[in-house]
Amino acid sequence: GAGVSQTPSNKVTEKGKYVELRCDPISGHTALYWYRQSLGQGPEFLIYFQGTGAADDSGLPNDRFFAVRPEGSVSTLKIQRTERGDSAVYLCASSHSGTGPYEQYFGPGTRLTVT
Amino acid sequence: AQSVTQLDSHVSVSEGTPVLLRCNYSSSYSPSLFWYVQHPNKGLQLLLKYTSAATLVKGINGFEAEFKKSETSFHLTKPSAHMSDAAEYFCVVSGRGTNAGKSTFGDGTTLTVKP
């Protein structure tokens, strides 16, 4: 079946603007994860959903970042008042859930550039 | 709390020679450990995972890793490097059960394979 998809693949926005990044997980995967990857670094955990609820949002850097998954499938990462430091590749992953550990399947990412 | 240290940011080997990518971890609980590979312009792919069933874990493409609790290490090895192994490799630690959702990535090791 289809893998994890993310849209858009690239997003250029001006400082101070609002952006939304979308993630479509693999069908049937109840767990969904968001990461941020800056150049030369490993992915940094942002938030993890089990179904519709955020099970762990401890990685969100501040209150400008917010994510939703209203129907337990598609998720949207929302960034308000973007700053140049938000520029990075935003990765989404999905997996089965339970006692685990389960392999996370990653999407290709959205490259966000804040000018 | 959990953390991962990849001891080498760059490793260069000749084709046909062994590969060793080093990873040390820290975890407050019994960890799950993974190695992921990221080829240029491609998504992250799971190489192998440690689930506590066996300390020596075999993965795809001839890679394997050994979990050593006394050394808090999970080094990745391959007996004979192939040109197609050139990529970025990430060591990952996560918890189990209710702590399974938050994964911590290392900063990555870039593997170069010389002909």
Side-chain angles (χ1 to χ4, degrees):
Chain A
V4 178
S5 62
Q6 293 186 245
T7 53
S9 56
N10 281 282
K11 176 71 176 178
V12 181
T13 191
E14 293 180 348
K15 179 176 177 295
K17 299 290 189 182
Y18 168 82
V19 296
E20 290 189 352
L21 312 178
R22 176 188 168 107
C23 172
D24 280 88
I26 292 172
S27 178
H29 281 186
T30 54
L32 185 146
Y33 316 77
W34 282 100
Y35 296 86
R36 177 170 69 175
Q37 187 173 20
S38 300
L39 195 62
Q41 296 183 7
E44 173 193 17
F45 171 83
L46 295 177
I47 186 170
Y48 153 59
F49 287 90
Q50 275 280 19
T52 60
D56 187 339
D57 65 356
S58 62
L60 294 176
N62 51 60
D63 61 6
R64 295 187 298 106
F65 289 75
F66 189 71
V68 295
R69 195 185 185 200
E71 297 178 358
S73 179
V74 170
S75 177
T76 305
L77 179 66
K78 308 181 181 194
I79 310 175
Q80 298 177 320
R81 304 184 303 280
T82 51
E83 300 177 356
R84 292 193 180 89
D86 298 334
S87 296
V89 175
Y90 289 81
L91 297 170
C92 176
S94 69
S95 75
H96 296 291
S97 60
T99 55
Y102 291 104
E103 173 181 359
Q104 294 183 30
Y105 293 81
F106 283 83
T110 293
R111 182 175 299 278
L112 175 66
T113 303
V114 182
T115 62
Chain B
Q2 59 193 26
S3 66
V4 172
T5 302
Q6 292 185 242
L7 299 169
D8 307 291
S9 58
H10 291 86
V11 170
S12 181
V13 301
S14 297
E15 189 175 21
T17 65
V19 176
L20 171 63
L21 305 183
R22 298 182 296 165
C23 172
N24 286 113
Y25 71 91
S26 172
S27 179
S28 302
Y29 30 71
S30 180
S32 298
L33 293 159
F34 306 78
W35 277 97
Y36 282 82
V37 61
Q38 188 173 38
H39 287 92
N41 300 316
K42 291 192 175 181
L44 285 154
Q45 180 186 17
L46 180 70
L47 277 178
L48 50 80
K49 65 181 179 184
Y50 166 70
T51 62
S52 79
T55 57
L56 183 62
V57 181
K58 294 188 184 297
I60 62 171
N61 300 334
F63 284 94
E64 61 182 38
E66 186 172 7
F67 172 71
K68 292 187 176 180
K69 186 176 180 179
S70 61
E71 298 177 9
T72 60
S73 70
F74 191 57
H75 301 334
L76 182 70
T77 61
K78 183 173 180 176
S80 176
H82 191 272
M83 296 297 290
S84 61
D85 294 329
E88 187 82 11
Y89 291 79
F90 294 97
C91 182
V92 183
V93 63
S94 69
R96 298 177 186 270
T98 56
N99 295 310
K102 184 172 183 177
S103 294
T104 301
F105 281 69
D107 283 337
T109 298
T110 302
L111 177 64
T112 301
V113 182
K114 298 175 290 185

